[in-house]
């Protein structure tokens, strides 16, 4: 009798009854229902185009001839690409555009986040103001900066003349200054987003470490260098990777403001890929540029990921 009562109170029969009420078949397919919309979108708009682009990179195709005009050429597009001086010049401009714009954007975003992380009057409103440019359409940003960078009547050149510079740069119409001007716009448009991400990370930092360091007599710079910066290392790597990916694909701002010019001074890889595909109708060649860009960004991502290991406070 005691054995029967004991077995009735044990958890095993309850589990068996639970399995009978909720068939395993239902639980196995139900999660797929929830992830199906995202999965279909991923396959249709990301994975599918990526595989199609990879395949087109090994063909010669001008689109106008239809699918019947696709010709398999193997590695010819890549051979032509690596012998093309325009490609190397566009790669150099991309390295300048991303290599200068991304670190500056991250640095100003961090400074902005550190400033906004302090008790300030109207702090919430300031956070919104600095974040707005990252939500604004590229064309609207371009229109604003066309007015700011106008060589004769622009606000920036008027300020420079007021400060005593008689011949300020002509910015977007100068071969020497057009690309630095685009870097300036990129930094302005991106630092608000960087600041918001850094703010979220700063508010999660353990304050007991800062308090212990202050008790030990550590100054503000030493606390930043030994506690804050190592704690922000994963956030910095995340921002660097996503920013380099976004900048390497930067097309809208260049197409609207400069069209790759003056001359070819702002023709970066993304714009050169557009010219090859949609102006010269060399879609196989354009796809080869895309594959090389993807490989370069992937390599940079792996390097950054390897670099941050062991340098953060929690890694």
């Amino acid at each position: 009798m005691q054995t029967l009562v004991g077995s009735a109170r044990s958890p095993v029969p309850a589990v068996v009854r639970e399995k009978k009420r909720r068939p395993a078949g239902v639980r196995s397919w139900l999660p797929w229902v929830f992830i199906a919309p995202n999965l279909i979108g991923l396959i249709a708009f990301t994975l599918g185009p990526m595989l199609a682009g990879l395949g087109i990179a090994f063909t010669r195709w001008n689109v106008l001839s239809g699918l019947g005009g696709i010709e398999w050429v193997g590695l010819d597009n890549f051979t032509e690409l690596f012998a093309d001086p325009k490609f190397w010049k566009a790669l150099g401009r991309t390295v300048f555009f991303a290599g200068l714009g991304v670190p500056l954007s991250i640095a100003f975003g961090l400074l902005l986040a550190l400033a906004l992380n302090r008790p300030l009057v109207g702090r919430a409103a300031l956070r919104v103001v600095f974040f707005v440019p990252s939500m604004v359409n590229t064309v609207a940003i371009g229109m604003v900066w066309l007015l700011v960078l106008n060589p004769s009547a622009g606000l920036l050149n008027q300020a420079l003349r007021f400060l005593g510079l008689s011949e300020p740069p002509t910015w977007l119409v100068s071969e020497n200054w057009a690309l630095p001007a685009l870097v300036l716009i990129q930094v302005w448009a991106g630092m608000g987003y960087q600041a918001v991400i850094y703010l979220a990370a700063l508010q999660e930092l353990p304050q007991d470490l800062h308090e212990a360091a202050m008790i030990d007599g550590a100054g503000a710079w030493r606390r930043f260098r030994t506690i804050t910066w190592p704690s922000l290392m994963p956030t910095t790597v995340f921002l660097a990777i996503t920013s380099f990916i976004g900048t390497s694909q930067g097309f809208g701002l260049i197409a609207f403001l400069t069209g790759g010019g003056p001359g070819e001074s702002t023709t970066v890889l993304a714009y050169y890929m557009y010219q090859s595909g949609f102006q010269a109708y060399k879609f196989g060649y354009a796809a080869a540029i895309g594959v090389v860009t993807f490989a370069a960004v992937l390599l940079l991502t792996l390097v950054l990921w390897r670099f941050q290991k062991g340098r953060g406070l929690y890694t």
Side-chain angles (χ1 to χ4, degrees), residues 31-256:
W32 291 98
V33 174
F34 291 102
I35 67 172
N38 279 340
L39 191 60
I40 293 172
L42 177 69
I43 294 173
F45 300 110
T46 303
L47 188 60
M50 282 180 63
L51 294 176
L54 180 62
I56 293 172
F58 296 95
T59 66
R60 183 175 292 114
W61 187 35
N62 63 6
V63 177
L64 301 177
S65 58
L67 295 178
I70 298 177
E71 178 187 357
W72 176 266
V73 295
L75 296 174
D76 285 0
N77 285 328
F78 294 95
T79 305
E80 181 183 352
L81 184 66
F82 292 134
D84 183 1
K86 287 187 176 181
F87 164 74
W88 292 108
K89 290 179 180 177
L91 178 62
R93 296 185 200 103
T94 305
V95 170
F96 178 85
F97 184 54
L100 187 62
V102 171
L104 285 177
S105 178
I106 290 176
F108 282 109
L110 176 59
L111 291 174
L112 195 57
L114 291 172
L116 294 177
N117 198 39
R118 298 173 179 275
L120 294 172
V121 177
R123 183 172 61 173
L126 288 173
R127 290 177 180 177
V128 174
V129 168
F130 285 111
F131 186 66
V132 164
S134 63
M135 298 187 297
V136 175
N137 184 274
T138 302
V139 175
I141 293 175
M143 288 298 296
V144 170
W145 280 93
L146 276 177
L147 298 175
V148 173
L149 297 178
N150 186 286
S152 57
L155 293 175
L156 183 56
N157 277 7
Q158 288 190 22
L160 292 175
R161 290 192 186 94
F162 177 78
L163 294 174
L165 190 62
S166 58
E167 295 184 0
T170 50
W171 301 114
L172 295 173
V173 295
S174 165
E175 288 193 8
N176 295 326
W177 285 99
L179 196 55
L182 289 174
V183 171
L184 173 66
I185 299 171
Q186 186 73 22
V187 171
W188 175 83
M191 68 179 183
Y193 171 78
Q194 320 274 9
V196 168
I197 300 298
Y198 269 130
L199 264 174
L202 285 170
Q203 291 171 0
E204 293 297 323
L205 292 186
Q207 294 303 313
D208 53 340
L209 293 178
H210 278 275
E211 292 169 0
M214 291 175 68
I215 292 173
D216 290 341
W221 169 245
R222 187 171 181 183
R223 293 200 305 276
F224 174 81
R225 186 169 54 84
T226 58
I227 299 175
T228 304
W229 178 246
S231 302
L232 295 177
M233 183 61 72
T235 305
T236 303
V237 171
F238 165 76
L239 289 174
I241 291 173
T242 54
S243 298
F244 273 117
I245 292 173
T247 307
S248 67
Q249 299 171 345
F251 170 79
L253 203 60
I254 294 174
F256 179 72

